[in-house]
Short mmCIF file of all heavy atoms in Angstrom, two decimals:
data_model
loop_
_atom_site.label_atom_id
_atom_site.label_comp_id
_atom_site.label_asym_id
_atom_site.label_seq_id
_atom_site.Cartn_x
_atom_site.Cartn_y
_atom_site.Cartn_z
N LYS A 1 -79.60 -56.28 -81.46
CA LYS A 1 -78.72 -56.08 -80.31
C LYS A 1 -78.96 -54.70 -79.70
O LYS A 1 -79.27 -53.74 -80.42
CB LYS A 1 -77.26 -56.22 -80.72
CG LYS A 1 -76.90 -57.62 -81.19
CD LYS A 1 -75.42 -57.72 -81.53
CE LYS A 1 -75.03 -59.13 -81.96
NZ LYS A 1 -73.60 -59.23 -82.27
N LEU A 2 -78.80 -54.62 -78.39
CA LEU A 2 -78.97 -53.36 -77.69
C LEU A 2 -77.66 -52.56 -77.73
O LEU A 2 -76.62 -53.08 -77.34
CB LEU A 2 -79.38 -53.60 -76.23
CG LEU A 2 -80.75 -54.27 -76.03
CD1 LEU A 2 -80.96 -54.59 -74.57
CD2 LEU A 2 -81.88 -53.38 -76.55
N LYS A 3 -77.73 -51.30 -78.16
CA LYS A 3 -76.57 -50.44 -78.23
C LYS A 3 -76.80 -49.27 -77.25
O LYS A 3 -77.83 -48.60 -77.30
CB LYS A 3 -76.37 -49.89 -79.63
CG LYS A 3 -76.24 -50.98 -80.71
CD LYS A 3 -74.93 -51.72 -80.59
CE LYS A 3 -74.77 -52.71 -81.72
NZ LYS A 3 -73.49 -53.49 -81.61
N ALA A 4 -75.84 -49.05 -76.36
CA ALA A 4 -75.96 -47.98 -75.37
C ALA A 4 -75.52 -46.66 -75.94
O ALA A 4 -74.59 -46.57 -76.75
CB ALA A 4 -75.14 -48.33 -74.12
N TYR A 5 -76.18 -45.60 -75.53
CA TYR A 5 -75.77 -44.22 -75.88
C TYR A 5 -76.25 -43.30 -74.77
O TYR A 5 -76.97 -43.71 -73.86
CB TYR A 5 -76.34 -43.80 -77.24
CG TYR A 5 -77.83 -43.56 -77.28
CD1 TYR A 5 -78.37 -42.30 -77.13
CD2 TYR A 5 -78.70 -44.63 -77.46
CE1 TYR A 5 -79.73 -42.09 -77.17
CE2 TYR A 5 -80.08 -44.44 -77.51
CZ TYR A 5 -80.58 -43.16 -77.37
OH TYR A 5 -81.95 -42.96 -77.41
N GLN A 6 -75.87 -42.04 -74.85
CA GLN A 6 -76.25 -41.06 -73.83
C GLN A 6 -76.89 -39.86 -74.48
O GLN A 6 -76.58 -39.50 -75.61
CB GLN A 6 -75.03 -40.63 -73.02
CG GLN A 6 -74.42 -41.75 -72.20
CD GLN A 6 -73.07 -41.35 -71.61
OE1 GLN A 6 -72.76 -40.19 -71.53
NE2 GLN A 6 -72.30 -42.34 -71.24
N LYS A 7 -77.82 -39.24 -73.76
CA LYS A 7 -78.46 -38.01 -74.20
C LYS A 7 -78.77 -37.17 -72.96
O LYS A 7 -78.77 -37.69 -71.85
CB LYS A 7 -79.73 -38.31 -74.99
CG LYS A 7 -80.84 -38.94 -74.18
CD LYS A 7 -82.09 -39.16 -75.01
CE LYS A 7 -83.23 -39.73 -74.17
NZ LYS A 7 -84.47 -39.91 -74.97
N PRO A 8 -79.08 -35.86 -73.14
CA PRO A 8 -79.44 -35.05 -71.97
C PRO A 8 -80.74 -35.51 -71.32
O PRO A 8 -81.70 -35.83 -72.01
CB PRO A 8 -79.58 -33.63 -72.56
CG PRO A 8 -78.80 -33.67 -73.83
CD PRO A 8 -78.98 -35.06 -74.35
N LEU A 9 -80.75 -35.53 -70.01
CA LEU A 9 -81.98 -35.84 -69.29
C LEU A 9 -82.99 -34.71 -69.43
O LEU A 9 -84.20 -34.94 -69.56
CB LEU A 9 -81.68 -36.08 -67.80
CG LEU A 9 -82.84 -36.48 -66.91
CD1 LEU A 9 -83.44 -37.81 -67.35
CD2 LEU A 9 -82.42 -36.55 -65.45
N PHE A 10 -82.48 -33.47 -69.44
CA PHE A 10 -83.32 -32.29 -69.61
C PHE A 10 -82.78 -31.51 -70.83
O PHE A 10 -81.90 -30.65 -70.69
CB PHE A 10 -83.28 -31.40 -68.36
CG PHE A 10 -83.70 -32.10 -67.11
CD1 PHE A 10 -82.75 -32.46 -66.16
CD2 PHE A 10 -85.03 -32.42 -66.86
CE1 PHE A 10 -83.11 -33.10 -64.99
CE2 PHE A 10 -85.40 -33.07 -65.70
CZ PHE A 10 -84.45 -33.42 -64.76
N PRO A 11 -83.30 -31.79 -72.01
CA PRO A 11 -82.81 -31.11 -73.22
C PRO A 11 -82.90 -29.59 -73.08
O PRO A 11 -83.89 -29.06 -72.53
CB PRO A 11 -83.75 -31.62 -74.32
CG PRO A 11 -84.20 -32.94 -73.83
CD PRO A 11 -84.33 -32.79 -72.33
N SER A 12 -81.86 -28.91 -73.52
CA SER A 12 -81.70 -27.44 -73.51
C SER A 12 -81.25 -26.90 -72.16
O SER A 12 -80.92 -25.74 -72.04
CB SER A 12 -82.95 -26.71 -73.96
OG SER A 12 -83.91 -26.55 -72.93
N TYR A 13 -81.20 -27.75 -71.11
CA TYR A 13 -80.82 -27.29 -69.78
C TYR A 13 -79.35 -27.58 -69.50
O TYR A 13 -78.86 -28.68 -69.70
CB TYR A 13 -81.65 -27.98 -68.70
CG TYR A 13 -83.02 -27.41 -68.50
CD1 TYR A 13 -83.70 -26.74 -69.52
CD2 TYR A 13 -83.68 -27.53 -67.28
CE1 TYR A 13 -84.96 -26.24 -69.35
CE2 TYR A 13 -84.96 -27.03 -67.10
CZ TYR A 13 -85.59 -26.38 -68.12
OH TYR A 13 -86.86 -25.87 -67.93
N VAL A 14 -78.67 -26.56 -68.96
CA VAL A 14 -77.31 -26.68 -68.45
C VAL A 14 -77.33 -26.21 -67.03
O VAL A 14 -78.05 -25.27 -66.67
CB VAL A 14 -76.35 -25.81 -69.27
CG1 VAL A 14 -74.97 -25.81 -68.67
CG2 VAL A 14 -76.28 -26.34 -70.70
N ILE A 15 -76.58 -26.86 -66.16
CA ILE A 15 -76.49 -26.48 -64.74
C ILE A 15 -75.17 -25.76 -64.51
O ILE A 15 -74.12 -26.22 -64.91
CB ILE A 15 -76.59 -27.73 -63.83
CG1 ILE A 15 -77.81 -28.59 -64.18
CG2 ILE A 15 -76.59 -27.31 -62.37
CD1 ILE A 15 -79.13 -27.92 -63.93
N ALA A 16 -75.27 -24.64 -63.79
CA ALA A 16 -74.08 -23.90 -63.36
C ALA A 16 -73.98 -23.99 -61.86
O ALA A 16 -74.97 -23.76 -61.14
CB ALA A 16 -74.15 -22.45 -63.79
N ASP A 17 -72.82 -24.31 -61.37
CA ASP A 17 -72.54 -24.37 -59.93
C ASP A 17 -71.78 -23.10 -59.56
O ASP A 17 -70.64 -22.92 -59.97
CB ASP A 17 -71.71 -25.62 -59.66
CG ASP A 17 -71.23 -25.73 -58.20
OD1 ASP A 17 -71.54 -24.84 -57.40
OD2 ASP A 17 -70.52 -26.71 -57.90
N THR A 18 -72.43 -22.21 -58.85
CA THR A 18 -71.81 -20.91 -58.57
C THR A 18 -72.31 -20.31 -57.25
O THR A 18 -73.45 -20.51 -56.87
CB THR A 18 -72.09 -19.92 -59.72
OG1 THR A 18 -71.55 -18.64 -59.41
CG2 THR A 18 -73.60 -19.76 -59.97
N ASP A 19 -71.44 -19.54 -56.62
CA ASP A 19 -71.82 -18.74 -55.44
C ASP A 19 -72.22 -17.33 -55.85
O ASP A 19 -72.77 -16.60 -55.04
CB ASP A 19 -70.65 -18.63 -54.48
CG ASP A 19 -70.34 -19.96 -53.79
OD1 ASP A 19 -71.31 -20.64 -53.41
OD2 ASP A 19 -69.17 -20.30 -53.66
N THR A 20 -71.89 -16.94 -57.08
CA THR A 20 -72.14 -15.57 -57.55
C THR A 20 -72.93 -15.60 -58.85
O THR A 20 -72.43 -15.29 -59.94
CB THR A 20 -70.80 -14.83 -57.77
OG1 THR A 20 -69.98 -15.61 -58.69
CG2 THR A 20 -70.06 -14.66 -56.45
N PRO A 21 -74.22 -15.98 -58.78
CA PRO A 21 -75.02 -16.13 -59.99
C PRO A 21 -75.17 -14.87 -60.81
O PRO A 21 -75.16 -14.91 -62.05
CB PRO A 21 -76.37 -16.63 -59.45
CG PRO A 21 -76.40 -16.22 -58.02
CD PRO A 21 -75.00 -16.31 -57.55
N GLU A 22 -75.33 -13.72 -60.14
CA GLU A 22 -75.51 -12.48 -60.87
C GLU A 22 -74.27 -12.15 -61.73
O GLU A 22 -74.37 -11.80 -62.89
CB GLU A 22 -75.81 -11.31 -59.92
CG GLU A 22 -77.12 -11.45 -59.18
CD GLU A 22 -76.99 -12.28 -57.91
OE1 GLU A 22 -75.85 -12.76 -57.61
OE2 GLU A 22 -78.02 -12.50 -57.25
N ALA A 23 -73.10 -12.30 -61.12
CA ALA A 23 -71.85 -12.01 -61.85
C ALA A 23 -71.67 -13.00 -62.99
O ALA A 23 -71.25 -12.62 -64.09
CB ALA A 23 -70.67 -12.08 -60.88
N PHE A 24 -72.01 -14.25 -62.76
CA PHE A 24 -71.87 -15.26 -63.80
C PHE A 24 -72.79 -14.99 -64.98
O PHE A 24 -72.36 -15.01 -66.14
CB PHE A 24 -72.14 -16.65 -63.20
CG PHE A 24 -72.08 -17.75 -64.21
CD1 PHE A 24 -70.91 -18.04 -64.89
CD2 PHE A 24 -73.22 -18.52 -64.48
CE1 PHE A 24 -70.87 -19.07 -65.83
CE2 PHE A 24 -73.17 -19.54 -65.42
CZ PHE A 24 -72.00 -19.81 -66.09
N PHE A 25 -74.06 -14.71 -64.70
CA PHE A 25 -75.00 -14.49 -65.77
C PHE A 25 -74.68 -13.20 -66.55
O PHE A 25 -74.81 -13.15 -67.77
CB PHE A 25 -76.42 -14.43 -65.23
CG PHE A 25 -77.47 -14.54 -66.31
CD1 PHE A 25 -77.40 -15.53 -67.27
CD2 PHE A 25 -78.53 -13.67 -66.34
CE1 PHE A 25 -78.37 -15.63 -68.25
CE2 PHE A 25 -79.51 -13.76 -67.31
CZ PHE A 25 -79.43 -14.75 -68.27
N LEU A 26 -74.21 -12.19 -65.82
CA LEU A 26 -73.80 -10.94 -66.48
C LEU A 26 -72.63 -11.21 -67.42
O LEU A 26 -72.60 -10.68 -68.54
CB LEU A 26 -73.40 -9.90 -65.43
CG LEU A 26 -72.97 -8.52 -65.99
CD1 LEU A 26 -74.13 -7.87 -66.75
CD2 LEU A 26 -72.53 -7.60 -64.84
N ALA A 27 -71.70 -12.06 -67.00
CA ALA A 27 -70.56 -12.40 -67.86
C ALA A 27 -71.05 -13.12 -69.12
O ALA A 27 -70.55 -12.87 -70.23
CB ALA A 27 -69.58 -13.27 -67.10
N LEU A 28 -72.03 -13.98 -68.98
CA LEU A 28 -72.58 -14.68 -70.17
C LEU A 28 -73.18 -13.69 -71.14
O LEU A 28 -73.00 -13.79 -72.35
CB LEU A 28 -73.66 -15.68 -69.74
CG LEU A 28 -73.26 -16.91 -68.93
CD1 LEU A 28 -74.48 -17.79 -68.70
CD2 LEU A 28 -72.17 -17.70 -69.62
N LYS A 29 -73.93 -12.73 -70.62
CA LYS A 29 -74.60 -11.75 -71.47
C LYS A 29 -73.64 -10.80 -72.17
O LYS A 29 -73.92 -10.29 -73.24
CB LYS A 29 -75.60 -10.95 -70.62
CG LYS A 29 -76.83 -11.71 -70.21
CD LYS A 29 -77.77 -11.94 -71.39
CE LYS A 29 -79.15 -12.41 -70.98
NZ LYS A 29 -80.04 -12.58 -72.13
N GLN A 30 -72.51 -10.53 -71.53
CA GLN A 30 -71.58 -9.51 -72.05
C GLN A 30 -70.63 -10.06 -73.11
O GLN A 30 -69.99 -9.27 -73.81
CB GLN A 30 -70.79 -8.90 -70.89
CG GLN A 30 -71.62 -7.98 -70.02
CD GLN A 30 -70.82 -7.36 -68.89
OE1 GLN A 30 -69.79 -7.93 -68.46
NE2 GLN A 30 -71.28 -6.22 -68.37
N VAL A 31 -70.51 -11.37 -73.20
CA VAL A 31 -69.62 -11.94 -74.22
C VAL A 31 -70.48 -12.37 -75.40
O VAL A 31 -71.28 -13.31 -75.29
CB VAL A 31 -68.86 -13.16 -73.64
CG1 VAL A 31 -67.99 -13.78 -74.74
CG2 VAL A 31 -68.02 -12.74 -72.45
N PRO A 32 -70.36 -11.69 -76.55
CA PRO A 32 -71.23 -11.98 -77.70
C PRO A 32 -71.26 -13.45 -78.10
O PRO A 32 -72.32 -14.00 -78.40
CB PRO A 32 -70.63 -11.10 -78.82
CG PRO A 32 -69.98 -9.99 -78.08
CD PRO A 32 -69.44 -10.58 -76.83
N LYS A 33 -70.11 -14.12 -78.09
CA LYS A 33 -70.06 -15.52 -78.51
C LYS A 33 -70.91 -16.39 -77.59
O LYS A 33 -71.51 -17.38 -78.03
CB LYS A 33 -68.61 -16.00 -78.52
CG LYS A 33 -68.45 -17.41 -79.12
CD LYS A 33 -66.99 -17.76 -79.28
CE LYS A 33 -66.83 -19.14 -79.92
NZ LYS A 33 -65.41 -19.51 -80.09
N LEU A 34 -70.97 -16.02 -76.30
CA LEU A 34 -71.77 -16.78 -75.35
C LEU A 34 -73.24 -16.37 -75.42
O LEU A 34 -74.13 -17.21 -75.42
CB LEU A 34 -71.26 -16.59 -73.93
CG LEU A 34 -69.86 -17.14 -73.63
CD1 LEU A 34 -69.45 -16.81 -72.21
CD2 LEU A 34 -69.84 -18.64 -73.85
N SER A 35 -73.50 -15.06 -75.48
CA SER A 35 -74.88 -14.59 -75.47
C SER A 35 -75.66 -15.09 -76.66
O SER A 35 -76.87 -15.30 -76.60
CB SER A 35 -74.93 -13.05 -75.41
OG SER A 35 -74.34 -12.49 -76.56
N ARG A 36 -74.98 -15.33 -77.79
CA ARG A 36 -75.69 -15.84 -78.97
C ARG A 36 -76.17 -17.28 -78.77
O ARG A 36 -77.08 -17.73 -79.47
CB ARG A 36 -74.76 -15.80 -80.19
CG ARG A 36 -74.58 -14.40 -80.78
CD ARG A 36 -73.98 -14.48 -82.16
NE ARG A 36 -72.62 -15.00 -82.15
CZ ARG A 36 -71.53 -14.25 -82.05
NH1 ARG A 36 -71.64 -12.92 -81.94
NH2 ARG A 36 -70.32 -14.80 -82.04
N LEU A 37 -75.57 -18.00 -77.81
CA LEU A 37 -75.98 -19.37 -77.56
C LEU A 37 -77.10 -19.45 -76.50
O LEU A 37 -77.65 -20.53 -76.29
CB LEU A 37 -74.78 -20.18 -77.07
CG LEU A 37 -73.69 -20.44 -78.13
CD1 LEU A 37 -72.47 -21.10 -77.49
CD2 LEU A 37 -74.23 -21.31 -79.25
N LEU A 38 -77.43 -18.35 -75.87
CA LEU A 38 -78.47 -18.37 -74.85
C LEU A 38 -79.84 -18.28 -75.51
O LEU A 38 -80.02 -17.59 -76.51
CB LEU A 38 -78.29 -17.22 -73.88
CG LEU A 38 -76.96 -17.14 -73.13
CD1 LEU A 38 -76.95 -15.96 -72.20
CD2 LEU A 38 -76.71 -18.43 -72.36
N ARG A 39 -80.81 -18.95 -74.93
CA ARG A 39 -82.16 -18.85 -75.47
C ARG A 39 -82.76 -17.51 -75.09
O ARG A 39 -82.75 -17.11 -73.93
CB ARG A 39 -83.04 -20.00 -74.93
CG ARG A 39 -84.13 -20.42 -75.89
CD ARG A 39 -84.79 -21.69 -75.45
NE ARG A 39 -85.75 -21.45 -74.38
CZ ARG A 39 -86.47 -22.42 -73.81
NH1 ARG A 39 -86.29 -23.66 -74.19
NH2 ARG A 39 -87.33 -22.14 -72.87
N THR A 40 -83.28 -16.79 -76.05
CA THR A 40 -83.70 -15.41 -75.83
C THR A 40 -84.94 -15.29 -74.93
O THR A 40 -85.15 -14.24 -74.33
CB THR A 40 -83.98 -14.72 -77.17
OG1 THR A 40 -84.96 -15.48 -77.88
CG2 THR A 40 -82.73 -14.63 -78.01
N ASP A 41 -85.74 -16.33 -74.82
CA ASP A 41 -86.99 -16.23 -74.05
C ASP A 41 -86.88 -16.77 -72.64
O ASP A 41 -87.89 -17.02 -71.98
CB ASP A 41 -88.13 -16.96 -74.79
CG ASP A 41 -87.82 -18.46 -74.95
OD1 ASP A 41 -86.66 -18.84 -74.75
OD2 ASP A 41 -88.77 -19.21 -75.25
N SER A 42 -85.67 -16.99 -72.17
CA SER A 42 -85.53 -17.58 -70.84
C SER A 42 -84.57 -16.76 -69.98
O SER A 42 -83.84 -15.90 -70.47
CB SER A 42 -85.05 -19.04 -70.92
OG SER A 42 -83.79 -19.09 -71.51
N ASP A 43 -84.57 -17.04 -68.68
CA ASP A 43 -83.66 -16.36 -67.78
C ASP A 43 -82.93 -17.41 -66.93
O ASP A 43 -82.80 -18.56 -67.32
CB ASP A 43 -84.40 -15.33 -66.92
CG ASP A 43 -85.60 -15.92 -66.23
OD1 ASP A 43 -85.86 -17.13 -66.41
OD2 ASP A 43 -86.28 -15.20 -65.51
N PHE A 44 -82.49 -16.98 -65.75
CA PHE A 44 -81.56 -17.75 -64.94
C PHE A 44 -82.22 -18.05 -63.61
O PHE A 44 -82.69 -17.15 -62.96
CB PHE A 44 -80.34 -16.85 -64.78
CG PHE A 44 -79.22 -17.41 -63.97
CD1 PHE A 44 -78.76 -18.69 -64.17
CD2 PHE A 44 -78.57 -16.61 -63.05
CE1 PHE A 44 -77.69 -19.19 -63.44
CE2 PHE A 44 -77.49 -17.09 -62.30
CZ PHE A 44 -77.07 -18.40 -62.51
N TRP A 45 -82.31 -19.33 -63.21
CA TRP A 45 -83.01 -19.62 -61.96
C TRP A 45 -82.35 -20.75 -61.18
O TRP A 45 -81.66 -21.58 -61.72
CB TRP A 45 -84.49 -19.92 -62.19
CG TRP A 45 -84.81 -20.86 -63.32
CD1 TRP A 45 -84.97 -20.55 -64.63
CD2 TRP A 45 -85.01 -22.28 -63.23
NE1 TRP A 45 -85.28 -21.67 -65.36
CE2 TRP A 45 -85.30 -22.73 -64.53
CE3 TRP A 45 -85.01 -23.19 -62.17
CZ2 TRP A 45 -85.58 -24.09 -64.81
CZ3 TRP A 45 -85.26 -24.52 -62.44
CH2 TRP A 45 -85.56 -24.95 -63.75
#
């Protein structure tokens, strides 16, 4: 039988909807709990 499930279309990618990307990314970097979840070899585009 076919069983349905869901997975990310782009693994490791999250989309942020923002008008102020610099402020948002700075906030991510400044909060240790969040910055630890960011991949160290990538940036924001």
Side-chain angles (χ1 to χ4, degrees):
K1 295 183 178 180
L2 296 174
K3 303 290 185 181
Y5 70 96
Q6 295 169 19
K7 67 178 183 178
L9 183 62
F10 304 106
S12 83
Y13 280 26
V14 173
I15 307 296
D17 174 0
T18 177
D19 289 319
T20 56
E22 296 84 2
F24 176 63
F25 194 49
L26 182 61
L28 293 183
K29 287 288 193 178
Q30 287 180 336
V31 178
K33 188 173 182 179
L34 294 177
S35 63
R36 283 195 295 268
L37 292 172
L38 302 181
R39 209 169 79 181
T40 56
D41 62 344
S42 63
D43 52 0
F44 180 46
W45 46 274

